[in-house]
Amino acid sequence: MGKALIIGCGGVASVVIHKCCQNSEVFEEIMIASRTKSKCDKLKEKLSGGKTKISTAQVNADNVDELIALINSFKPDIVINVALPYQDLTIMDACLACKVDYLDTANYEPEDTAKFEYSWQWAYRERFEKAGITAVLGCGFDPGVTGVFTAYAAKHYFDEINYLDILDCNAGDHGYPFATNFNPEINIREVSANGSYIEDGKWVETKPMEIKRVYNFPEIGEKDMYLLHHEELESLAINIKGIKRIRFFMTFGQSYLTHLKCLENVGMTSIKPINYNGMEIVPLQFLKAVLPDPASLGPRTVGKTNIGCIMQGKKDGKDVKYYVYNVCDHQECYKEVESQAISYTTGVPAMIGAMMVLTGKWKKPGVFNVEEFDPDPFMDALNKWGLPWKETFDPELVD
């Protein structure tokens, strides 16, 4: 049916590529492109032999001209961006120039500032609309599936959703004293930044890890979770009717928090360049280089993840409480695609979102967050492609 250019070759990209190859009726041909072509070639060698035709290329995703040349050469129907969030805008510029649909899993953030918001990408709306192409923003799990979950609930169970809590629990154990389950640079920037939530239309800022709750997660049990800033709060507060408060919580173990605090105290999480032996280095980037590669954690990670949304609101004047979530097993993910569940839960939705665009279900000109599309076909696809969801109408609420 279509051709996809997949930019990036890390842990999430590997899952996207595996799932595209499983879905060969839609993804007849893919190209894997990264700064390091050897990584792309290794994946191609592993997955060749199926129905999906695979090719590879080297590209610098910071360079718009290189991206344009690659897109014009391959002529994809969609570009799936699973590179770094710093590169969202250059890839969007290239898609605009070539009039090709675009999808990513995380919103843009400047490399020199630990700040992520949708304003930079929403500024492309009119240009994508005029070009007649679609851009789908944040189509991982959170952001991504959490937005689809919310849109599904709003469509079927609520007239208005007043309170929304997004809960992200990773109860996996990789055996290391300290490691991150996705790109260390992005992970640590996200966790060490100030927290925030939206209440009555206004942002409320908190100190990092200031707000802690304990939640009893289905199939996992009680875990400590902490309020963080997360990008989908911004779009959901605008796109979902009736929102009075929206928050995002993520679980962390004590070992992770202790190590992170120590690294912060000695300056290793800083993104400000320093001079070392006549060279300019960024401490956080150096730390990333010495930490375990998240892609290597798959075979040693055991346990489960639970990510979902708890909502309160009204239907026909009556109070409604609703919880929808997915539980994913790290070892089952590794058996299927040689990846741990963090990459799996991001990569599968990216493939599904691209499928939605290629099949015309999510195809309209402009720049959109996932909750602005019909959630039903996406929800069906989650069950089919490895992320089955569960729901309950009597959840334990977060105070």
Side-chain angles (χ1 to χ4, degrees), residues 8-19 43 46-47 337-339:
C9 201
V12 172
S14 176
V15 176
V16 175
I17 294 157
H18 274 84
K19 300 305 282 193
L43 260 180
K46 183 183 295 184
L47 292 170
V337 297
E338 297 185 3
S339 168

Side-chain angles (χ1 to χ4, degrees), residues 371-382:
E371 66 270 14
E372 296 179 82
F373 295 102
D374 181 8
D376 290 1
F378 196 105
M379 293 289 280
D380 290 341
L382 287 171

Side-chain angles (χ1 to χ4, degrees), residues 9 34-43:
C9 201
S34 172
R35 194 187 299 266
T36 308
K37 187 173 181 292
S38 59
K39 293 170 67 176
C40 307
D41 292 336
K42 188 176 179 181
L43 260 180

Side-chain angles (χ1 to χ4, degrees), residues 54-348:
I54 305 172
S55 56
T56 64
Q58 192 279 331
V59 71
N60 176 4
D62 295 317
N63 188 308
V64 177
D65 290 337
E66 279 192 33
L67 290 164
I68 290 173
L70 180 62
I71 293 171
N72 282 335
S73 172
F74 181 60
K75 293 181 170 49
D77 299 298
I78 190 169
V79 172
I80 304 174
N81 170 15
V82 277
L84 293 170
Y86 320 138
Q87 298 164 326
D88 288 359
L89 302 188
T90 54
I91 299 173
M92 289 181 77
D93 285 335
C95 287
L96 262 178
C98 301
K99 294 189 176 181
V100 175
D101 294 329
Y102 167 91
L103 178 141
D104 66 33
T105 61
N107 71 359
Y108 173 75
E109 58 178 295
E111 192 167 5
D112 58 354
T113 308
K115 180 180 181 181
F116 49 103
E117 60 185 44
Y118 282 116
S119 60
W120 290 284
Q121 291 179 279
W122 284 346
Y124 281 71
R125 282 170 170 161
E126 186 176 346
R127 281 174 285 170
F128 267 73
E129 189 173 353
K130 286 183 177 179
I133 55 176
T134 302
V136 181
L137 306 183
C139 195
F141 206 109
D142 47 351
V145 174
T146 52
V148 177
F149 279 171
T150 307
Y152 179 81
K155 179 177 178 179
H156 295 283
Y157 302 132
F158 291 89
D159 293 325
E160 60 178 47
I161 297 172
N162 304 131
Y163 299 96
L164 170 60
D165 285 325
I166 299 168
L167 312 186
D168 184 328
C169 172
N170 175 23
D173 182 5
H174 46 59
Y176 287 114
F178 183 81
T180 64
N181 291 291
F182 59 96
N183 185 301
E185 191 176 351
I186 305 303
N187 177 272
I188 292 172
R189 280 167 63 121
E190 180 179 298
V191 172
S192 59
N194 284 342
S196 64
Y197 61 97
I198 295 175
E199 188 160 19
D200 297 329
K202 297 178 181 178
W203 284 102
V204 180
E205 190 167 285
T206 68
K207 294 178 182 178
M209 305 294 181
E210 178 183 355
I211 296 178
K212 171 188 170 182
R213 297 289 187 270
V214 177
Y215 195 78
N216 187 15
F217 288 89
E219 299 186 42
I220 289 174
E222 286 193 350
K223 292 291 180 181
D224 294 342
M225 63 182 189
Y226 298 83
L227 186 143
L228 302 182
H229 172 78
H230 227 243
E231 59 248 57
E232 67 262 46
L233 305 188
E234 183 181 15
S235 67
L236 287 168
I238 293 171
N239 293 323
I240 300 299
K241 180 182 175 183
I243 289 287
K244 295 179 180 179
R245 187 189 68 204
I246 177 170
R247 303 179 296 187
F248 179 94
F249 292 91
M250 183 176 283
T251 62
F252 297 99
Q254 193 55 53
S255 176
Y256 178 94
L257 295 177
T258 301
H259 280 80
L260 181 62
K261 190 63 179 178
C262 179
L263 292 167
E264 286 179 340
N265 288 343
V266 298
M268 285 304 300
T269 62
S270 172
I271 61 174
K272 293 180 180 178
I274 63 170
N275 188 282
Y276 176 75
N277 284 351
M279 296 180 296
E280 190 175 82
I281 66 168
V282 175
L284 181 55
Q285 292 178 354
F286 177 79
L287 177 61
K288 173 186 175 181
V290 300
L291 286 174
D293 181 354
S296 72
L297 300 179
R300 57 185 295 146
T301 304
V302 297
K304 296 179 179 181
T305 64
N306 180 318
I307 313 174
C309 301
I310 298 176
M311 305 167 220
Q312 301 174 68
K314 302 283 187 181
K315 179 68 174 181
D316 298 327
K318 297 179 180 179
D319 292 332
V320 177
K321 295 184 295 182
Y322 177 70
Y323 182 24
V324 55
Y325 61 92
N326 162 264
V327 174
C328 204
D329 186 286
H330 285 285
Q331 283 297 297
E332 291 302 315
C333 295
Y334 188 76
K335 288 176 186 176
E336 182 191 344
V337 297
E338 297 185 3
S339 168
Q340 35 83 356
I342 304 301
S343 294
Y344 191 88
T345 54
T346 304
V348 173

